[in-house]
Amino acid sequence: SHVRVMCILQDSRGFMWFGTRDGLNKYDGYKFTVYKNDAKDSNSISNNFVSGIVEDANGFIWIATRGGGLNRYDKEKDQFTRFKHDAENPNSISGNIVNNISKDAAGNLWICTEDNLNFFDPVHNVFVKYKINARCVLDDSDHRLWAGTYQDGLGLLNKKEKTFTFFSHLQNDTGSISNNNISVISED
């Protein structure tokens, strides 16, 4: 649906998913199916700018959008459930501009919005917010959660205290991180 592919996922059934700036695309090996927002259909994807895709243990595909919040695709029903910010509901996602979505080793979803890192609690269907401007998250092989931020450097979550320790660039310290704007984290 668009030449700018923002994210790619191969799901558990082998389908390839491509999130673009103008729609979500599923490739089944023969043809593409394009999913776009339909203002008249509340079960369509909430926004066409797709910024992240993950699959959970139940086979649901979670789609992050820039402007439409978070979506959960149910392949059995071929429809989307929308999770959008609601100023009246403190348990809703913290914003509709979602930069990224990640899954940790336990299968938990971590959603990076413009102003907060959100943990999705599927048991209670609520979003727990961490006041950090995360743009990416990585759960490393030791099950430590790292968050890359726009200006605070690299954050390491203390899961018991629910606080972050930051590793930031220090002007005169060559042993510090090289920049405080972290867009991608990976483990070798």
Side-chain angles (χ1 to χ4, degrees), residues 154-179:
L154 185 64
L156 174 61
L157 177 64
N158 178 325
K159 292 180 181 178
K160 289 181 183 176
E161 300 292 324
K162 297 186 179 183
T163 59
F164 280 89
T165 300
F166 289 95
F167 300 89
S168 301
H169 173 69
L170 302 172
Q171 192 67 22
N172 296 321
D173 184 354
T174 57
S176 70
I177 197 165
S178 62
N179 194 299

Side-chain angles (χ1 to χ4, degrees), residues 11-165:
D11 72 16
S12 58
R13 299 185 309 164
F15 294 126
M16 296 297 300
W17 295 83
F18 301 90
T20 75
R21 288 186 173 205
D22 191 29
L24 176 66
N25 301 258
K26 179 178 74 173
Y27 183 63
D28 65 7
Y30 299 99
K31 68 179 180 356
F32 280 95
T33 302
V34 177
Y35 298 94
K36 287 193 175 189
N37 176 259
D38 178 351
K40 297 175 185 168
D41 182 2
S42 63
N43 293 316
S44 69
I45 194 167
S46 62
N47 189 284
N48 293 333
F49 192 128
V50 177
S51 53
I53 313 168
V54 297
E55 182 178 17
D56 70 16
N58 297 317
F60 291 112
I61 306 294
W62 291 83
I63 304 100
T65 70
R66 293 202 42 89
L70 186 65
N71 294 262
R72 182 179 62 208
Y73 176 72
D74 183 334
K75 62 183 174 247
E76 302 302 323
K77 297 179 181 177
D78 192 33
Q79 66 184 26
F80 296 85
T81 300
R82 300 173 180 182
F83 296 87
K84 296 180 92 173
H85 175 67
D86 178 357
E88 303 295 318
N89 180 358
N91 295 318
S92 71
I93 192 167
S94 64
N96 290 327
I97 298 175
V98 181
N99 298 317
N100 206 337
I101 182 170
S102 296
K103 184 174 63 169
D104 66 19
N108 298 308
L109 296 178
W110 294 88
I111 303 100
C112 302
T113 66
E114 286 288 294
D115 55 352
N116 286 300
L117 176 61
N118 296 253
F119 167 79
F120 181 67
D121 178 350
V123 174
H124 300 101
N125 212 31
V126 299
F127 292 86
V128 178
K129 295 157 193 69
Y130 294 83
K131 190 68 179 160
I132 176 176
N133 64 350
R135 62 190 302 194
C136 58
V137 173
L138 171 76
D139 184 45
D140 72 16
S141 57
D142 292 324
H143 308 295
R144 295 176 298 188
L145 191 84
W146 298 88
T149 71
Y150 285 95
Q151 60 197 19
D152 297 322
L154 185 64
L156 174 61
L157 177 64
N158 178 325
K159 292 180 181 178
K160 289 181 183 176
E161 300 292 324
K162 297 186 179 183
T163 59
F164 280 89
T165 300

